[in-house]
Amino acid sequence: MTAAAITPRAKRAHRWRAVVWGVVGVLALAALWELYKLVGPADGWLVGAQEGVTGSGIRLLPRTSDQAMPHTWDMVARVIEPVTRAQGALPLGVVVLLAALTSLGIAALGWLVGVVVGFALALLMLGFRIAERAVLPFVILSQTVPLIALAPLIRNWGSRLEFGAFSWESWMSVVVIASYLAFFPVAVGALRGLQSPDAAHLDLMRSYAAGWWTTLFRLRMPASVPFLVPALRLAAANAVVGTVVAEISVGFTGGIGRLILETAVAASSDPAKPWAPILGAVLLGLVAAGFVALLAAFLSPFRRQETVA
Amino acid sequence: MTSAAPERVDAPPPEADPAIAMPGLEASAAPRRRRATGDGPLARFARLVLPPVALFIVLVLLAELVVVAAGIPPFVLASPSAILDQLVQYAPQVLAATLATGLNALIGLVIGAVIGVLLAIAASLGRPVDGMLAPVVAAVAVVPIVALAPVFYTMFGSTSEVARILIASIAAFVPVFLNTLRGLRQVRPVHRDLMRSYAATPSQLTRLVTIPSALPHFFTGLRIASSLAVISALVAEYFGGPRQGLGSAITTAAASSAYARAWAFVIGAILLGLVFFVLTSLIERIASRHR
Amino acid sequence: MSSPSPSTPAPEQTGATGMAGTAPAGAATDAATEAVVARGVERVFAGAKGAEVTALTGIELTVRAGEFVSLIGPSGCGKSTLLRLIADLDTPTAGEIRVFGKTAAQARIDQSYGIAFQQAGLLPWRTVAANIELPLQLHGADGATRRARVAELLDLVGLADFAKHYPDQLSGGMQQRVAIARSLAEQPRLLLMDEPFGALDEMTRERMQTELLRIRAETGAAVVFVTHSIPEAVYLSDRVVVMSPRPGRITDEVDVRLGDAADRGEDLREDAAFFAGVTAVREALHGAESAPAAGAARGVDVR
């Protein structure tokens, strides 16, 4: 006998339970942090320090001082306080959210460009076998190498490139890097998906004298959705990472990347401050994943095929 | 249970496959094609290797031509000949930087893999552990871990590699944990029934069936983790810390307008990534002989 | 034509006489020698939205020592479920099952039976020899004993040359032979088999059936055999138990007296008695379908 079908209500309950457990997990992490602060060695654990040589030795466990490890409630409280001591400064939380939004916009643009180019390349590889054989190995291997290493090189386009009225802004470099990282998983995932239909389905379309483009729209693209969605999710995560890192390499000042670096540099005087932009970056990643999940929900009729024999 | 059609032993649906679904990387090749008859191994090798190699050569030559002929400034693209020249000239530095970053990535990979396996075992045994870990790890998988680099430098000091290794460990932990947990849960029902019919003890079940079933999944996770460890170790260098790695070298070279040299270091980074990928793929291939 | 009541055995087939299996006459009522006794067994599954699925109801079945009994019926009649209950891979919601006088759970712990699944269920990372050795290894047999027994079993199923091969290098029929060898490893007095030949082509299937009879003749074990195939059931069994679905129940039992297991050979497939047996079982199956179960809300499907 087959097992019970999972009702929508059961699924919702299951999801809520996951959220609750997730919150418990985060609280457990915070509890671990505080526990270490309480019982950990005050000076951390320094290995191989040399007498009189400052900065020598490897610190394997951090110091438990409030400067090195601020209390979790201090981190939360800091979010509400103004970002600087200047007059009329906005609360840190607001500044972080604004920066995160800027980065979100850039990441979204980079993701979009990456998805479009990736899909176009997948179509090219689908149509021309020789293109697939020549290009696909590069695409696959490029996912394994740190292409983000190129970020500092793209930075310098910003100050020098000008085509007439159009001048290259630094945020455009960030978009290029983000799209560059988003593009590869989409190209691989889209190609796999477009090539996934059964021979039986392809024969069916052929028996209807359907052309290449018709087969593409009616069969291959719907069939590619189960492969495309995970690729889009991966591309979104890559775009976010690329944005955050590129903002630092390129020197773009409006986004969360710069904020992370700036607050960290001033950490000695304001130890709780760097944690707010980090939280902002975490939110950025979650929102990006959530957006893709929403997109996947829209495409859900095309994903029923995953359970059909 | 029904006596229905024979079990389908298909690959997992792509949605559920953490190899693709998480910010790990699905680096396996395109779906298999029917092999043409009369295809010797040499012909197959040629067909597999020649097109990308040919494309590479064409691109390099084209780049050389365009950069030299059209006079493109090096800050957009350095000419391949200049890059090669710098690579040869600075070979010892490139190697040293590659080794520095590679070492961080390797240590991070090992730590992350070990903890990933241990926690996956814990999660497969206990519902509460699993319930707390699963959402947290899923969240970690989509957020930029390198955002933690600056605070880690503050906590662990910016003169040691500990912060970078920690970032690489976290990055490696995620795919290993997710894939290993999946493998531990994927014991085939018929094998489970078989062991139950033998009244096998839980430890016998674990030792003889669960662990061998989970091994291929672990190696998939390890392969993904190796790429992520390299990338994270390198990116962490952009946020500060000691200056002996590839990331620092690239930034320094780019800042002093020595673009060809910067590209030389980039090539070092690419080679590092390839080495890690090839090694873990080999380990995965060896361990999956009889599936 | 068999009567629909499960407790009245059908009249014996003409032309074939003789006892089935090696059950000693007169000892049939001794509970300890009966391989399987199921009384009032019921298995109900909780379904979607609170609906219940009755996989099995009112099962009364006795399998004597050394007897070959087939369970046959359309999909969903609960034959595999019943087998799993006997194997203690599942628990009945009502009634009880005794295997050699013990509870099913105890029989499993005592390893009183061997089981062969529909998908061979070989462990892909172990060689053929290591797969057959698995139950012996689990239950603490020493190396020498294990090796000797494995060699014996490989000879029995005719795979001595493939001891060091891996399952993925074997055909479906060969994998099943390994699974059967494995199920015999500890010389059980009861064999439980769930459509072991289901995935094989007809030629291989017939060959395997003959093999199984030969093995059974040599070991004298009782067998409970689940199958879809009428000729297979008649060829192999002493008794065919006919089941029907919705709810899963036994509707008939057909005694198939085609001679001793040792005497059955390939010629039997051409024998008139064989065809008569097949007809009897087929009619029992169709009869079960056109007569709705007492208390059932609707009739069963017409096939």
Side-chain angles (χ1 to χ4, degrees):
Chain A
M1 299 295 149
T2 52
I6 305 176
T7 62
R9 194 199 300 165
K11 254 195 230 159
R12 270 199 300 273
H14 186 260
R15 226 172 276 152
W16 272 119
R17 218 176 302 142
V19 169
V20 168
W21 270 118
V23 170
V24 172
V26 170
L27 290 173
L29 272 174
L32 226 68
W33 178 270
E34 294 297 333
L35 190 70
Y36 176 78
K37 270 186 72 72
L38 203 64
V39 303
D43 219 16
W45 179 20
L46 199 59
V47 182
Q50 288 166 302
E51 282 285 335
V53 181
T54 49
S56 66
I58 302 174
R59 184 174 299 281
L60 289 175
L61 283 177
R63 287 183 287 250
T64 58
S65 66
D66 283 354
Q67 202 187 41
M69 292 179 65
H71 282 287
T72 45
W73 46 85
D74 287 338
M75 294 181 202
V76 174
R78 184 69 185 82
V79 170
I80 311 172
E81 294 167 22
V83 57
T84 60
R85 278 185 245 281
Q87 269 288 16
L90 294 165
L92 178 61
V94 175
V95 173
V96 166
L97 275 174
L98 286 174
L101 258 139
T102 313
S103 293
L104 182 65
I106 296 176
L109 191 59
W111 180 83
L112 205 62
V113 172
V115 167
V116 167
V117 176
F119 202 83
L121 189 68
L123 280 179
L124 185 75
M125 290 196 280
L126 180 73
F128 300 101
R129 188 79 81 83
I130 188 71
E132 179 192 337
R133 274 201 239 118
V135 175
L136 191 61
F138 279 114
V139 176
I140 290 173
L141 284 177
S142 57
Q143 289 186 92
T144 64
V145 303
L147 287 174
I148 196 120
L150 289 169
L153 291 165
I154 303 187
R155 153 210 199 120
N156 294 292
W157 294 9
S159 41
R160 325 278 188 91
L161 279 182
E162 271 182 29
F163 309 110
F166 172 82
S167 74
W168 187 269
E169 312 256 344
S170 59
W171 64 263
M172 295 182 195
S173 303
V174 182
V175 170
V176 167
I177 295 170
S179 65
Y180 196 50
L181 294 177
F183 144 84
F184 294 101
V186 173
V188 174
L191 181 66
R192 241 159 152 239
L194 291 169
Q195 287 174 335
S196 68
D198 297 335
H201 291 151
L202 289 169
D203 284 343
L204 184 71
M205 295 303 272
R206 194 176 153 78
S207 80
Y208 294 147
W212 192 86
W213 289 99
T214 316
T215 312
L216 176 69
F217 284 114
R218 294 275 175 209
L219 175 64
R220 291 189 187 274
M221 279 178 63
S224 71
V225 171
F227 293 86
L228 204 53
V229 168
L232 290 176
R233 200 177 303 145
L234 184 55
N238 284 359
V240 167
V241 173
T243 303
V244 169
V245 175
E247 283 173 5
I248 294 177
S249 308
V250 165
F252 175 67
T253 48
I256 200 101
R258 192 91 227 154
L259 202 58
I260 292 174
L261 201 61
E262 282 172 359
T263 53
V265 161
S268 46
S269 48
D270 202 342
K273 201 174 178 192
W275 292 94
I278 290 175
L279 194 61
V282 167
L283 278 173
L284 182 60
L286 292 175
V287 166
F291 166 70
V292 176
L294 211 65
L295 193 63
F298 273 120
L299 294 172
S300 58
F302 297 105
R303 290 164 65 197
R304 294 181 73 92
Q305 57 195 294
E306 293 163 31
T307 47
V308 173
Chain B
M1 301 301 124
T2 63
S3 54
E7 187 193 26
R8 293 187 71 218
V9 191
D10 289 343
E15 254 309 307
D17 190 344
I20 312 182
M22 300 321 300
L25 306 154
E26 179 50 63
S28 64
R32 281 180 230 108
R33 298 193 173 260
R34 235 173 306 146
R35 208 176 292 161
T37 51
D39 221 355
L42 189 62
R44 268 200 300 133
F45 178 75
R47 188 180 308 173
L48 215 62
V49 169
L50 280 185
V53 169
L55 181 68
F56 180 70
I57 296 175
V58 164
L59 284 175
V60 168
L61 289 176
L62 207 67
E64 182 75 28
L65 206 67
V66 166
V67 168
V68 170
I72 293 196
F75 72 83
V76 174
L77 184 69
S79 77
S81 53
I83 296 174
L84 192 63
D85 172 69
Q86 289 287 294
L87 188 59
V88 167
Q89 196 180 338
Y90 280 90
Q93 285 91 329
V94 172
L95 192 62
T98 309
L99 282 175
T101 307
L103 192 63
N104 288 345
L106 187 64
I107 300 175
L109 179 64
V110 169
I111 296 175
V114 167
I115 298 184
V117 169
L118 290 175
L119 284 182
I121 293 175
S124 72
L125 290 176
R127 272 279 98 178
V129 176
D130 176 36
M132 284 195 291
L133 273 178
V136 172
V137 175
V140 171
V142 299
V143 304
I145 304 167
V146 287
L148 287 169
V151 282
F152 280 170
Y153 282 126
T154 312
M155 282 165 58
F156 294 94
S158 47
T159 51
S160 75
E161 308 276 1
V162 173
R164 296 170 180 172
I165 292 175
L166 199 54
I167 301 261
S169 315
I170 298 175
F173 157 80
V174 170
V176 171
F177 172 80
L178 290 171
N179 280 279
T180 307
L181 183 60
R182 186 147 191 278
L184 288 171
R185 288 203 176 124
Q186 272 214 335
V187 178
R188 281 176 54 197
V190 65
H191 290 155
R192 223 198 309 267
D193 281 346
L194 185 71
M195 296 306 270
R196 185 173 159 79
S197 83
Y198 291 145
T201 62
S203 86
Q204 282 176 326
L205 175 67
T206 310
R207 203 168 23 99
L208 296 174
V209 172
T210 312
I211 290 181
S213 291
L215 226 45
H217 289 87
F218 163 72
F219 283 113
T220 304
L222 192 69
R223 175 176 39 92
I224 298 170
S226 72
S227 311
L228 291 179
V230 170
I231 294 171
S232 306
L234 194 139
V235 171
E237 294 178 21
Y238 290 153
F239 289 79
R243 311 289 301 169
Q244 63 243 31
L246 282 167
S248 323
I250 296 172
T251 340
T252 318
S256 31
S257 301
Y259 297 107
R261 186 165 2 128
W263 276 99
F265 282 108
V266 169
I267 291 180
I270 291 175
L271 287 174
L272 181 66
L274 282 177
V275 164
F276 267 69
F277 173 67
V278 166
L279 280 176
T280 44
S281 293
L282 262 164
I283 296 176
E284 186 185 8
R285 185 76 64 87
I286 293 175
S288 312
R289 257 170 319 165
H290 294 284
R291 299 285 150 199
Chain C
M1 203 34 211
S2 324
S3 70
S5 157
S7 54
T8 326
E12 300 189 3
Q13 301 301 316
T14 54
T17 55
M19 293 280 289
T22 54
T29 51
D30 185 348
T33 64
E34 273 163 350
V36 178
V37 176
R39 293 253 169 279
V41 169
E42 202 176 81
R43 181 63 172 105
V44 175
F45 289 97
K49 298 187 176 76
E52 287 183 336
V53 178
T54 306
L56 288 172
T57 182
I59 300 292
E60 304 276 336
L61 179 68
T62 305
V63 177
R64 290 187 287 278
E67 190 182 13
F68 198 120
V69 172
S70 286
L71 304 178
I72 194 169
S75 295
C77 67
K79 48 195 196 293
S80 289
T81 309
L82 180 55
L83 197 78
R84 288 175 61 87
L85 290 176
I86 298 173
D88 191 39
L89 294 174
D90 196 3
T91 2
T93 41
E96 74 160 353
I97 294 184
R98 300 229 141 228
V99 177
F100 293 115
K102 305 178 270 200
T103 61
Q106 190 60 45
R108 179 175 64 84
I109 293 170
D110 293 345
Q111 290 292 287
S112 307
Y113 67 80
I115 188 163
F117 297 97
Q118 187 177 356
Q119 324 105 21
L122 303 180
L123 301 181
W125 50 86
R126 287 183 160 229
T127 58
V128 163
N131 263 291
I132 298 177
E133 191 179 60
L134 179 63
L136 300 165
Q137 198 183 355
L138 283 175
H139 302 129
D142 65 86
T145 319
R146 292 202 310 258
R147 277 191 292 277
R149 182 79 186 127
V150 167
E152 232 181 288
L153 289 164
L154 283 169
D155 280 333
L156 190 65
V157 295
L159 286 174
D161 291 333
F162 293 91
K164 299 240 185 302
H165 282 64
Y166 283 89
D168 60 7
Q169 298 169 305
L170 304 181
S171 70
M174 294 161 85
Q175 288 184 20
Q176 269 302 349
R177 278 194 271 165
V178 176
I180 290 172
R182 181 180 62 184
S183 68
L184 296 168
E186 302 193 294
Q187 293 166 316
R189 292 182 294 150
L190 171 65
L191 270 181
L192 302 175
M193 310 184 100
D194 188 351
E195 294 190 65
F197 308 144
L200 307 177
D201 63 85
E202 193 66 22
M203 287 78 74
T204 314
R205 198 168 184 158
E206 290 189 353
R207 241 195 337 267
M208 299 288 286
Q209 289 161 8
T210 313
E211 285 294 309
L212 182 60
L213 282 182
R214 184 179 58 78
I215 291 170
R216 192 189 141 229
E218 291 185 28
T219 62
V223 181
V224 179
F225 192 91
V226 170
T227 180
H228 266 141
S229 159
I230 303 176
E232 181 170 79
V234 172
Y235 183 72
L236 293 171
S237 324
D238 301 321
R239 189 156 46 103
V240 177
V241 171
V242 175
M243 300 177 70
S244 77
R246 283 186 297 274
R249 63 199 184 283
I250 295 177
T251 51
D252 213 334
E253 288 185 13
V254 178
D255 273 342
V256 180
R257 300 253 176 262
L258 289 177
D260 245 345
D263 296 339
R264 300 187 192 198
E266 284 296 336
D267 317 332
L268 184 60
R269 296 189 202 275
E270 319 260 310
D271 201 287
F274 175 74
F275 289 120
V278 169
T279 310
V281 173
R282 186 178 297 122
E283 284 177 358
L285 274 168
H286 290 173
E289 286 166 14
S290 50
R298 343 176 214 177
V300 296
D301 289 351
V302 173
R303 283 196 192 276

